[in-house]
Amino acid sequence: MQLYLPIADLPVNVFLVLAMGAAVGFVSGMFGIGGGFLMTPLLIFIGITPAVAVASVASHIAASSFSGALAYWRRRAIDPALASVLLCGGVTGTALGVWTFTQLRALGQLDLMIALSYVVLLTTVGSLMFSDGLRALMRTRRGAVPPRRTHNWIHGLPLKMRFKRSKIYLSVIPVVIVGIVIGFIGAIMGIGGGFILVPIMIYLLRVPTSTVIGTSMVLTLVTMLFATLLHAVTNHLVDAVLALILMVGGVTGAQFGARAGQKIRGEQLRLLLGLLILSVGVRFAIELVIRPEDLFTIRELGVNG
């Protein structure tokens, strides 16, 4: 069944988009991430312009993050103080990202920039997560003890603040910087950034896993909601019909994904997630190197539309 998308300005198969939303929802539920890094490329691959894909997926991620953040809040698994400091940087980074998004679109370079960003970011992060998961899996099979975490140079920075819920004493400088970076890339690439934020908070900031996911979801919720509003007001690119279809599929798939994720060990999840992220990055690289004319066509549609 075909349905016309008013902002994307093209007809799509409703069942295909629903299936995509369900598949990404399944992945999101399994790995505890927003799924924007997968949804945005999938929409681009079926012909939706990158600009509309990024803006519309932001609303989908915000809606998905709301239910997750609410559940973690009820379990007292969110650090309000840490989330507030992250949001100081996140809101600033989001505003800067939307402004950059608008400027690149005016110059006709937005679609190419999005593709290049996905190639660099996803191949790098995917490779790191895949190798880390593989090492952890090998250590588990050998029965080796995981290396002990030690404090790094970040913990020597000034302007420290005590985050009681997370039981850490940390400078606000790196926390604000992390928020700015996540907000910026989320506004430009249409990703919540959870797959980047969670490892940074665990391995660099030493935030305990008991509060890291819930706090990450709060940042994702607010920054993606803010990005959606800015994209709708400044660029008029949010396709509400597309976002609604994705939400319906995403909520359904997430329920099954969460159940599947509970049956897989942590190191196996990291290995699979790293492989998935790396695969999406490689797919974009193939489009750029082997079939650049496809990206050029998409780019022209984005500029002329």
Coordinates of all heavy atoms in Angstrom, one line a residue, residues 25-33 253-270 272:
G25 N 13.4 -0.8 15.8 CA 12.9 -0.9 17.2 C 13.4 -2.1 17.9 O 13.8 -2.1 19.1
F26 N 13.5 -3.2 17.2 CA 14.0 -4.5 17.7 C 15.5 -4.3 18.1 O 15.9 -4.7 19.2 CB 13.9 -5.6 16.7 CG 14.4 -6.9 17.1 CD1 13.5 -7.8 17.8 CD2 15.7 -7.4 16.9 CE1 14.0 -9.0 18.3 CE2 16.1 -8.6 17.3 CZ 15.3 -9.4 18.0
V27 N 16.3 -3.7 17.2 CA 17.7 -3.4 17.5 C 17.8 -2.5 18.7 O 18.7 -2.7 19.6 CB 18.4 -2.9 16.3 CG1 19.8 -2.4 16.6 CG2 18.4 -3.9 15.2
S28 N 17.0 -1.5 18.8 CA 17.0 -0.5 19.9 C 16.7 -1.2 21.2 O 17.4 -0.9 22.2 CB 16.0 0.6 19.6 OG 16.3 1.3 18.4
G29 N 15.7 -2.0 21.2 CA 15.3 -2.7 22.4 C 16.4 -3.7 22.9 O 16.6 -3.9 24.0
M30 N 17.0 -4.4 21.9 CA 18.1 -5.3 22.2 C 19.3 -4.7 22.8 O 19.9 -5.2 23.8 CB 18.4 -6.2 21.0 CG 19.5 -7.2 21.2 SD 20.0 -8.1 19.7 CE 18.5 -9.2 19.6
F31 N 19.7 -3.6 22.2 CA 21.0 -3.0 22.6 C 20.8 -1.8 23.5 O 21.8 -1.2 24.0 CB 21.8 -2.5 21.4 CG 22.2 -3.7 20.5 CD1 21.6 -3.8 19.2 CD2 23.1 -4.6 20.9 CE1 22.0 -4.8 18.4 CE2 23.5 -5.7 20.1 CZ 22.9 -5.8 18.8
G32 N 19.6 -1.3 23.8 CA 19.4 -0.2 24.6 C 19.9 1.1 24.1 O 20.4 2.0 24.8
I33 N 19.7 1.3 22.7 CA 20.1 2.6 22.1 C 19.0 3.1 21.3 O 17.9 2.5 21.1 CB 21.3 2.3 21.1 CG1 20.9 1.2 20.1 CG2 22.6 1.9 21.9 CD1 22.0 0.9 19.1
G253 N 8.5 -3.3 17.6 CA 9.8 -4.0 17.6 C 10.6 -4.0 18.8 O 11.3 -4.9 19.2
A254 N 10.5 -2.9 19.5 CA 11.3 -2.7 20.8 C 11.0 -3.7 21.8 O 11.8 -4.1 22.6 CB 11.2 -1.3 21.3
Q255 N 9.7 -4.1 21.9 CA 9.2 -5.0 22.9 C 9.9 -6.4 22.7 O 10.4 -7.0 23.7 CB 7.7 -5.2 22.9 CG 6.9 -3.9 23.0 CD 7.2 -3.2 24.3 OE1 7.3 -3.8 25.4 NE2 7.4 -1.9 24.2
F256 N 10.0 -6.8 21.5 CA 10.6 -8.1 21.2 C 12.1 -8.0 21.4 O 12.8 -9.0 21.8 CB 10.2 -8.6 19.8 CG 8.8 -8.9 19.6 CD1 7.9 -7.9 19.0 CD2 8.3 -10.1 20.0 CE1 6.6 -8.2 18.9 CE2 6.9 -10.4 19.8 CZ 6.1 -9.4 19.3
G257 N 12.7 -6.9 21.0 CA 14.1 -6.7 21.1 C 14.6 -6.7 22.5 O 15.7 -7.3 22.8
A258 N 13.8 -6.1 23.4 CA 14.2 -6.1 24.8 C 14.2 -7.5 25.4 O 15.1 -7.8 26.2 CB 13.2 -5.2 25.6
R259 N 13.3 -8.3 25.0 CA 13.3 -9.7 25.5 C 14.5 -10.5 25.0 O 15.1 -11.3 25.7 CB 12.0 -10.4 25.1 CG 10.7 -9.7 25.7 CD 9.5 -10.4 25.2 NE 8.3 -9.7 25.7 CZ 7.0 -10.0 25.3 NH1 6.9 -11.0 24.4 NH2 6.0 -9.3 25.8
A260 N 14.8 -10.2 23.7 CA 15.9 -11.0 23.1 C 17.3 -10.5 23.7 O 18.2 -11.3 23.9 CB 16.0 -10.7 21.6
G261 N 17.4 -9.2 24.0 CA 18.6 -8.7 24.6 C 18.9 -9.3 26.0 O 20.1 -9.4 26.4
Q262 N 17.9 -9.7 26.7 CA 18.0 -10.2 28.1 C 18.6 -11.6 28.0 O 19.1 -12.1 29.1 CB 16.7 -10.3 28.8 CG 16.1 -8.9 29.1 CD 14.7 -8.9 29.7 OE1 14.1 -10.0 29.8 NE2 14.2 -7.8 30.0
K263 N 18.6 -12.3 26.9 CA 19.1 -13.6 26.8 C 20.5 -13.7 26.2 O 21.1 -14.8 26.1 CB 18.2 -14.4 25.8 CG 16.7 -14.5 26.3 CD 15.9 -15.3 25.3 CE 14.4 -15.3 25.8 NZ 13.5 -16.0 24.8
I264 N 21.1 -12.5 25.9 CA 22.5 -12.5 25.4 C 23.4 -11.8 26.4 O 23.1 -10.8 27.0 CB 22.5 -11.7 24.0 CG1 21.5 -12.3 23.1 CG2 23.9 -11.7 23.4 CD1 21.4 -11.6 21.7
R265 N 24.6 -12.4 26.5 CA 25.6 -11.8 27.4 C 26.1 -10.4 26.9 O 26.1 -10.1 25.7 CB 26.8 -12.7 27.6 CG 26.4 -14.1 28.3 CD 27.6 -14.7 28.9 NE 28.7 -14.8 27.9 CZ 28.9 -15.9 27.2 NH1 28.1 -17.0 27.4 NH2 29.9 -16.0 26.4
G266 N 26.6 -9.6 27.9 CA 27.0 -8.3 27.6 C 28.1 -8.2 26.5 O 28.1 -7.3 25.6
E267 N 29.1 -9.1 26.6 CA 30.2 -9.0 25.6 C 29.7 -9.4 24.2 O 30.2 -8.9 23.2 CB 31.4 -9.9 26.0 CG 31.1 -11.4 26.2 CD 30.6 -11.7 27.6 OE1 30.3 -10.8 28.4 OE2 30.5 -12.9 27.9
Q268 N 28.7 -10.3 24.2 CA 28.2 -10.7 22.9 C 27.4 -9.5 22.3 O 27.4 -9.3 21.1 CB 27.3 -11.9 23.0 CG 28.1 -13.2 23.4 CD 27.2 -14.4 23.7 OE1 26.0 -14.2 24.2 NE2 27.6 -15.6 23.4
L269 N 26.6 -8.8 23.1 CA 25.9 -7.6 22.7 C 26.8 -6.6 22.1 O 26.5 -6.0 21.0 CB 25.1 -7.0 23.8 CG 23.8 -7.8 24.2 CD1 23.2 -7.1 25.5 CD2 22.8 -7.7 23.1
R270 N 28.0 -6.3 22.8 CA 28.9 -5.3 22.3 C 29.5 -5.8 20.9 O 29.7 -4.9 20.0 CB 30.0 -5.1 23.3 CG 29.6 -4.4 24.6 CD 30.7 -3.7 25.3 NE 31.8 -4.7 25.7 CZ 31.8 -5.4 26.8 NH1 30.8 -5.3 27.6 NH2 32.7 -6.2 27.1
L272 N 28.1 -7.8 18.7 CA 27.0 -7.7 17.6 C 26.7 -6.2 17.3 O 26.6 -5.9 16.1 CB 25.8 -8.4 18.1 CG 25.8 -9.9 18.3 CD1 24.5 -10.4 18.9 CD2 26.0 -10.5 16.9

